[in-house]
Amino acid sequence: MDSFNYLDERFADLQLLRYRLEGFEQLSSSQKRLVYYLSKATLYGRDITFDQFGAYNLRLRRALEAVYTDPNISRDTAEFQALAVYLKRLWFSSGIHHHYGCEKFVPGFSEAFLRHALHTVNPASLPLMEGQTLDDFCEELFPVIFHPEVLPKRVNKADGEDLVVTSACNFYQGVTQQEAEQYYAEKKASGSQVEPPSYGLNSTLVKDADGTVREEVWKADGRYGKAIRKIVFWLEKALEVAENDAQHQAISLLIKYYNTGDLHTFDKYSIQWLQTLEGQVDFINGFIEVYGDPLGLKGTWEGLVEYVDEEATKRTRIISSHAQWFEDHSPVDPCFRKPQVKGVSARVICAAMLGGEEYPSTAIGINLPNADWIRARYGSKSITISNITDAYNKAAKGNGFKEEFVNDDLTLSLINSYGDVCDNLHTDLHECLGHGSGQLLPGVDPDALKAYGNTIEEARADLFALYYLADRKLVELGLLPDGDAYKAAYYSYMMNGLMTQLVRIEPGKQLEEAHMRNRALIAHWCLEKGDCMQLVRQEGKTYLRITSYEGLRGVIARLLAEVQRIKSEGDYGAARQLVEQYAVHVDPILHEEVLERYEKLNLAPYKGFINPRLVPVYDADGNIADIHVDYSESYEQQMLRYSKEYATLI
C-alpha cells in the first residue's frame, strides 16, 4: 500500500498535489549536487515569469504578501480569508490571471478592506515607487485588481481584435499587433532563411516616445538581468559537477546565451542539448514555450530539473528506434513526410524541481527544441514525466469521475484496465514522434499560422498519437497488451474534447487555451465528419457513444492529413477556419449540464504541485556530502519562502 500523501491543500478550482522523487537516493553524490545546483537555477527564474505574465504582478504579490503575513491584521474575517484565496491563486498562476483560462481573477474582498489593510502594514514592506505615497499606490493598483474592464485577459485570442493591445501579458509595451508583426516580418526578411533564429523569443518589444520600435533583450546585462545573473551563477556551479563533456558544453552554451542574449547561440545550445543523451540528469531552463504570447513569438521562462526513470525509458527507446517506420506509414501526403527522420530521442524521467511556467501546474510531456529547422536537421528530444503522471493517477483513484461520465460497463472496464498505459503511451507518441513528424515545404514561414499555430501544432501531435495508438504495430512491439486497448484512449479523449474538459470553463466563456482548443477541434470534427460516434441522452444525462472504433480511426487519419497539410503549406486561412469553427465555441446547454454533474463529485478541475525541498547535507569540511529530500513544506510556506529567497526583480 502506497502511504505517500499525494493530495494536499485545495482552494478555489485548484487541488495541490505532491510528487515523489522515486530513485533519487540511488543517484551518486555528484549527481545529487548537480540536481541541487540546477534546481537553484530553476527557482531563480520565478520572478521573470511573474513579470512576463503581467506588468503589475510582482508588486501586487509583494503587497498582498505584506498584508497576509502582518500579525496586526485579523485572519478570522471573511474578507481576509477571501484575500488569502486570491493570493494563493496569484501564486499558482504567477499573476492575477487564471493559469489556464487567462481571465482575470475576481476578488472576494473589497477595496475598502484592502486599503485599510495596506495602511496597517509597515510601509517599508510595500513595493512603493520612489516618491510614491500609499494613496497613490492604491490609485495605481486598485483598478488592476477591482475593475473588470482593466486588463481582463492575459492572452486574448479573439478573432478580429488587436491581440497585442487587448492582452495583459507583458511582452509588448506601446505597440500594436500590426506594428509587432511588421517589425518581425522585416527581421525575417533580412535574416537567414536557412537557419532562422526564433525572432522575438527573448525580448520585450517596446515603442519609444519618438515612435521607434525596438527590442529590450532578456540577458544578464539587460532586462531581467538581476534574475538571469542568479541563474547563471548556479549554472556555473552545475558546470563543476557535469556528468560528461557533452553536458558541460550544453550548460556552457546556455550560460553564454544568457550573457549575450544572442539567439544564434541559443540555437547552438539547443542542438548541443538535444544531442546530449548520456548521463542520468537533465534539465530545461530558459525562454521556451510561446503559448503565453498571443502572437506565438515570445518565450515564457520555465525550468525543470529531471533524472532518468530507467525502467520506463525502455518504452520510449522502442518508440524512438522505430521513428522512421511511423513516419513512413503516416496517413499524410508523402510530400509532407520526412524522407529521413533524424535525431529522435525520448526518455521517461522523474521531475526533481519545477519552476517558472512549469510550476505549480506542469506538463506531463515535453518535446524540444521548437525551431523547425533544428528539428528537420538534427532532431528533437522528448521526455515523459513519470512521477508527475503517477501522482495524478494516484490522486484520482476512486474519485467517481469515470463512473459519472461513462455509462456502459464494457467501456468502463476498458478504461480501468488500459487507461493509464494508454495515457502514458499517448504522451510518448505525442511528444517523441508527433511533434517531430512531418516537414514544412520549402520557403514556408514557421510562423505562418500566427495565433492559430499553437492549436494546430498540438492537434497535429495529438492526431499522430491517436492514429498510431490503434495500430497493431504497438502490440507487435509489446507496448500495448492487445488490439482493443486503444479503445480506452479513444473514448477518454473524445469524451474529454466534447464534454468533460468544459468543467474548466466558466459559464458563458469560450475556449481560449491552445491545448483545450486542440482537443475540442479533434473531437468536434470527428463527431461531425464521421458516422462513428454520437452524443446520446440517457436518464436525463448526456454520454458519448462510439459505434465504430475502426471508423473513428479512419476519420482521425483524414483530419491528421489535413492538419499536416495546413502546417506544411502554412495555410493560415484553413487554420483559422478549422479552429474558429470547431475549437472555440461552447454549447451552453451541454456546458451547464456538465458543470452540474461535476459539481456533485466535489472535485477541483485543475491540479498543481508543491515542490519537494532539496536540503544540502554538509560534511565536516563544509562541503555538500548529500542532498536530503523534504516533503513537509506546505504550499503557503513554500510560496512565502520562494518570495523571500528568490526575489530578484522587486
Side-chain angles (χ1 to χ4, degrees):
M1 182 71 179
D2 194 340
S3 60
F4 186 82
N5 189 10
Y6 292 93
L7 288 167
D8 205 89
E9 183 177 0
R10 178 179 170 182
F11 53 90
D13 57 356
L14 304 168
Q15 173 71 62
L16 271 299
L17 307 175
R18 296 184 184 274
Y19 60 98
R20 185 161 59 181
L21 272 58
E22 297 279 8
F24 181 80
E25 66 282 353
Q26 297 172 11
L27 297 177
S28 69
S29 175
S30 179
Q31 288 169 332
K32 289 179 181 178
R33 278 189 290 153
L34 178 59
V35 168
Y36 176 71
Y37 295 146
L38 291 172
S39 295
K40 297 287 280 187
T42 290
L43 295 175
Y44 266 113
R46 181 176 186 245
D47 274 9
I48 298 176
T49 306
F50 268 84
D51 190 73
Q52 289 179 319
F53 282 179
Y56 299 97
N57 287 335
L58 287 171
R59 296 171 70 205
L60 287 172
R61 187 187 76 191
R62 182 170 167 185
L64 295 178
E65 287 175 347
V67 171
Y68 185 70
T69 57
D70 193 289
N72 298 313
I73 298 176
S74 173
R75 305 176 70 89
D76 297 328
T77 68
E79 291 215 274
F80 183 89
Q81 293 303 314
L83 180 139
V85 171
Y86 186 93
L87 176 58
K88 290 177 180 180
R89 297 184 77 187
L90 181 151
W91 284 333
F92 193 98
S93 297
S94 298
I96 62 170
H97 296 86
H98 197 281
H99 74 288
Y100 215 78
C102 292
E103 66 274 4
K104 189 167 73 172
F105 301 140
V106 177
F109 52 92
S110 66
E111 291 190 40
F113 167 79
L114 183 57
R115 188 180 299 273
H116 179 267
L118 289 172
H119 278 84
T120 302
V121 305
N122 183 350
S125 65
L126 297 175
L128 302 180
M129 307 293 281
E130 185 176 352
Q132 187 178 43
T133 67
L134 182 52
D135 286 336
D136 291 338
F137 175 80
C138 293
E139 291 303 312
E140 178 190 8
L141 274 297
F142 276 25
V144 178
I145 299 175
F146 295 104
H147 295 186
E149 73 279 5
V150 176
L151 305 176
K153 297 279 291 186
R154 177 168 63 84
V155 184
N156 181 28
K157 296 182 179 178
D159 188 35
E161 297 184 13
D162 187 313
L163 304 184
V164 168
V165 173
T166 58
S167 294
C169 56
N170 196 23
F171 297 121
Y172 305 92
Q173 294 177 1
V175 300
T176 65
Q177 179 178 347
Q178 181 180 359
E179 288 170 331
E181 290 178 342
Q182 180 179 345
Y183 180 88
Y184 288 113
E186 292 173 356
K187 280 237 172 197
K188 291 177 182 178
S190 62
S192 171
Q193 306 300 310
V194 179
E195 299 180 358
S198 300
Y199 291 109
L201 185 70
N202 66 334
S203 67
T204 304
L205 193 66
V206 302
K207 183 160 67 173
D208 294 330
D210 64 359
T212 301
V213 177
R214 60 182 177 84
E215 290 182 302
E216 291 186 353
V217 178
W218 308 329
K219 57 179 180 172
D221 63 350
R223 195 176 180 110
Y224 301 141
K226 290 182 179 180
I228 290 172
R229 289 194 293 273
K230 288 288 188 180
I231 295 170
V232 168
F233 173 85
W234 289 103
L235 289 175
E236 289 174 339
K237 296 287 289 183
L239 276 179
E240 300 171 7
V241 287
E243 295 180 90
N244 50 61
D245 290 342
Q247 189 179 74
H248 189 282
Q249 187 174 349
I251 297 173
S252 297
L253 282 167
L254 180 58
I255 292 171
K256 183 178 179 181
Y257 163 62
Y258 273 136
N259 283 330
T260 64
D262 186 343
L263 287 170
H264 293 288
T265 302
F266 177 69
D267 287 342
K268 292 177 182 177
Y269 156 71
S270 298
I271 295 166
Q272 180 63 36
W273 173 83
L274 76 87
Q275 294 177 335
T276 302
L277 303 176
E278 301 300 323
Q280 291 292 104
V281 179
D282 206 350
F283 68 98
I284 295 168
N285 187 296
F287 308 106
I288 308 294
E289 302 293 356
V290 297
Y291 300 106
D293 173 14
L295 301 187
L297 298 173
K298 307 293 180 183
T300 302
W301 194 92
E302 66 179 65
L304 171 68
V305 186
E306 66 201 54
Y307 56 95
V308 176
D309 180 338
E310 286 289 357
E311 182 60 32
T313 294
K314 294 176 182 177
R315 180 181 75 233
T316 56
R317 287 197 182 110
I318 293 172
I319 292 172
S320 57
S321 67
H322 290 82
Q324 191 66 58
W325 184 92
F326 286 102
E327 184 75 4
D328 292 344
H329 291 81
S330 173
V332 306
D333 190 306
C335 72
F336 303 142
R337 299 181 198 149
K338 286 180 177 173
Q340 184 179 2
V341 178
K342 300 178 181 179
V344 173
S345 66
R347 298 199 286 189
V348 180
I349 59 95
C350 287
M353 192 61 64
L354 309 172
E357 193 177 24
E358 292 296 332
Y359 168 80
S361 178
T362 184
I364 58 174
I366 298 172
N367 175 271
L368 293 172
N370 287 326
D372 283 290
W373 73 266
I374 296 179
R375 288 176 180 274
R377 193 176 306 175
Y378 298 98
S380 61
K381 185 158 68 175
S382 302
I383 59 169
T384 302
I385 312 178
S386 62
N387 59 339
I388 294 296
T389 55
D390 183 62
Y392 279 131
N393 293 336
K394 295 282 178 52
K397 293 297 182 184
N399 65 11
F401 177 82
K402 289 179 289 189
E403 289 76 10
E404 171 60 35
F405 288 98
V406 181
N407 73 329
D408 70 278
D409 292 339
L410 178 59
T411 301
L412 195 58
S413 176
L414 282 169
I415 294 172
N416 286 332
S417 298
Y418 305 123
D420 289 351
V421 66
C422 282
D423 285 347
N424 287 334
L425 195 53
H426 180 274
T427 302
D428 294 339
L429 290 166
H430 174 111
E431 301 294 348
C432 178
L433 301 182
H435 280 307
S437 66
Q439 63 179 351
L440 299 181
L441 294 184
V444 172
D445 183 349
D447 299 317
L449 303 184
K450 300 181 181 180
Y452 300 103
N454 290 332
T455 297
I456 292 296
E457 175 57 24
E458 291 303 322
R460 194 176 70 89
D462 260 359
L463 287 162
F464 191 98
L466 288 168
Y467 177 76
Y468 279 114
L469 274 172
D471 202 291
R472 292 294 303 181
K473 185 72 172 181
L474 298 189
V475 179
E476 295 173 11
L477 295 174
L479 298 171
L480 284 180
D482 62 55
D484 286 332
Y486 79 94
K487 296 176 181 178
Y490 272 29
Y491 192 94
S492 296
Y493 189 96
M494 296 299 166
M495 179 179 71
N496 188 31
L498 292 170
M499 294 175 53
T500 53
Q501 72 169 355
L502 297 180
V503 303
R504 296 181 165 191
I505 301 295
E506 294 181 3
K509 302 290 187 181
Q510 304 289 3
L511 299 180
E512 295 279 355
E513 199 276 335
H515 296 81
M516 294 186 78
R517 284 185 166 190
N518 143 51
R519 292 188 288 266
L521 188 162
I522 292 172
H524 284 97
W525 197 93
C526 290
L527 181 68
E528 178 183 303
K529 300 295 183 180
D531 186 21
C532 51
M533 66 179 186
Q534 58 262 168
L535 293 175
V536 298
R537 297 281 293 174
Q538 184 173 328
E539 297 180 357
K541 296 180 179 180
T542 304
Y543 297 95
L544 171 66
R545 177 182 296 160
I546 298 179
T547 54
S548 172
Y549 283 92
E550 290 183 4
L552 179 54
R553 190 194 186 207
V555 180
I556 288 169
R558 286 165 50 200
L559 182 55
L560 173 56
E562 172 60 6
V563 168
Q564 182 62 63
R565 182 199 67 77
I566 291 171
K567 171 83 173 183
S568 295
E569 296 180 352
D571 189 343
Y572 173 81
R576 178 177 179 272
Q577 186 274 331
L578 202 58
V579 172
E580 292 294 335
Q581 181 173 348
Y582 295 101
V584 176
H585 305 292
V586 174
D587 179 340
I589 297 175
L590 179 61
H591 191 195
E592 181 181 9
E593 176 197 328
V594 170
L595 290 175
E596 289 178 356
R597 292 165 67 181
Y598 190 78
E599 185 178 10
K600 294 176 182 177
L601 299 174
N602 193 31
L603 301 174
Y606 297 97
K607 311 294 189 295
F609 292 89
I610 300 171
N611 277 326
R613 187 171 186 176
L614 302 182
V615 183
V617 178
Y618 296 93
D619 61 21
D621 298 322
N623 299 313
I624 296 177
D626 198 5
I627 301 295
H628 172 67
V629 182
D630 179 6
Y631 298 106
S632 65
E633 193 170 39
S634 72
Y635 176 68
E636 172 188 321
Q637 290 170 337
Q638 184 158 107
M639 289 300 189
L640 289 173
R641 178 172 66 86
Y642 284 2
S643 292
K644 181 179 180 180
E645 293 185 11
Y646 301 104
T648 55
L649 303 180
I650 188 169

